Amino acid sequence: MTDMSALERELAALHRGRGLRRPALAIGPVLRETLHLDPQSPADVMRDNLVAALRASAQSLPGDLRTVFLIASGLEAADPLLGDRIERAGAELQRDGRTVRRRLAEANRGVATMLLRGSRSRGETGNAWYIEEFEAETDLRGPHPILHARKLAVPTQGGLTVADEQFSMPPPHPDAPEPTIRVTQGGDLAYFAREGERVWRYGVRLDQTTEAGVAQAIGIEITIDSREWLLPYTVFSAYRPTRALRTTVHFGEPPVGRRVWELHGVYPLRLLDEEPAATDLEFDLSENTTISREFFGLQLGLAYGIRWLWR
């Protein structure tokens, strides 16, 4: 088990001198273990992964602690000495240096907690992105189902110009029109094509080149000709590290679903089940025809979301 106090000490050490801007950045053993950084990796790769994790974790802090952490670490200030950055943070928050240092210790504790909570395996950190938040919305109220997806994605490396993504649909039917897709946030469509029987792959040409650790929002809208070509679930199966998911389905009036239940960290084969398991949370559409669920700390390869049966 990782020693929280040791992790806090290593975070505190990162703030010294030029902070994360120092040319030879020493990453302590506890941080390397928590982030599963390979000590044999190139220094710039380890730095990018560290910066991405610290920026993302700092976003969960209260505003004053976030400001102190980002300035003290050198992520948002270039002053060469920690004392100068403490003074800068104090001026921004209108607090004295002693108060700022206390808040920096609190911020380090908060970031350490988030790093431990979102710790990812070595294989996962090789991915160019991880997902801070994902929102999936299925609107069944009109003649054509509309799927909305928005993700707040944090790149672990800089220099990317296209985000490569995918989603699944039923196998093609001779009479099924092609779905249409448009990018609603973050860039424009670079490509869109079926890959195999069930998977569609698309690319978003980003509005701006990625910077490690700086989150980017990407949104898309997919329109399907008929719910006849739609699978009866809105489910996210994480193949990238994902911290939070919100899933919403609008079933309309009268509802087009007759039975609805939650899938919470199940094996994807459970999507084929025509009945909920005894442990699944089931919903009553007579009370509310819009169902929303939230999930946190998603495990790779498992499915999370909402499953239903059509009327």
Side-chain angles (χ1 to χ4, degrees), residues 89-112:
E92 184 163 330
L93 297 174
Q94 298 184 332
R95 294 291 184 270
D96 60 46
R98 182 176 298 179
T99 300
V100 171
R101 288 182 182 275
R102 283 200 305 268
R103 294 191 181 178
L104 179 56
E106 292 179 49
N108 288 339
R109 189 171 306 115
V111 168

Side-chain angles (χ1 to χ4, degrees), residues 8 24 28 57 67 77 79 95 119 124 142 156 161 166 172 185 220 235 238 240 250 254 276 288:
E8 289 178 42
S57 297
T67 296
D79 306 83
R95 294 291 184 270
S119 181
E124 297 160 18
T156 59
T161 58
Q166 64 184 35
Q185 187 176 8
I220 63 164
V235 166
R240 289 184 173 131
H250 304 282
N288 193 340

Side-chain angles (χ1 to χ4, degrees), residues 128-129 131 151 153 155 160-166 183 185-191 201-208 210 216-220 239-240:
W129 303 83
I131 308 302
K151 64 185 70 178
L160 300 176
T161 58
V162 176
D164 181 65
E165 304 293 340
Q166 64 184 35
V183 178
Q185 187 176 8
D188 54 62
L189 192 65
Y191 53 84
R201 186 172 293 277
Y202 65 93
V204 176
R205 187 180 297 106
L206 301 170
D207 285 337
Q208 54 189 11
T210 63
Q216 294 194 217
I218 300 172
I220 63 164
Y239 67 97
R240 289 184 173 131

Side-chain angles (χ1 to χ4, degrees), residues 219-290:
I220 63 164
E221 178 185 280
I222 300 167
T223 302
I224 299 171
D225 185 69
S226 167
R227 63 183 176 91
E228 199 175 335
W229 319 124
L230 182 68
L231 294 168
Y233 49 78
T234 296
V235 166
F236 181 80
S237 185
Y239 67 97
R240 289 184 173 131
T242 303
R243 291 183 186 271
L245 166 68
R246 180 181 177 85
T247 305
T248 301
V249 181
H250 304 282
F251 288 97
E253 296 282 357
V256 297
R258 61 181 174 86
R259 198 169 184 185
V260 183
W261 64 94
E262 176 188 87
L263 296 175
H264 191 150
V266 302
Y267 290 108
L269 283 175
R270 284 280 316 280
L271 300 178
L272 303 177
D273 292 350
E274 290 294 314
E275 298 286 335
T279 55
D280 292 332
L281 179 62
E282 195 165 356
F283 306 100
D284 185 353
L285 289 178
S286 67
E287 297 178 355
N288 193 340
T289 59
T290 292

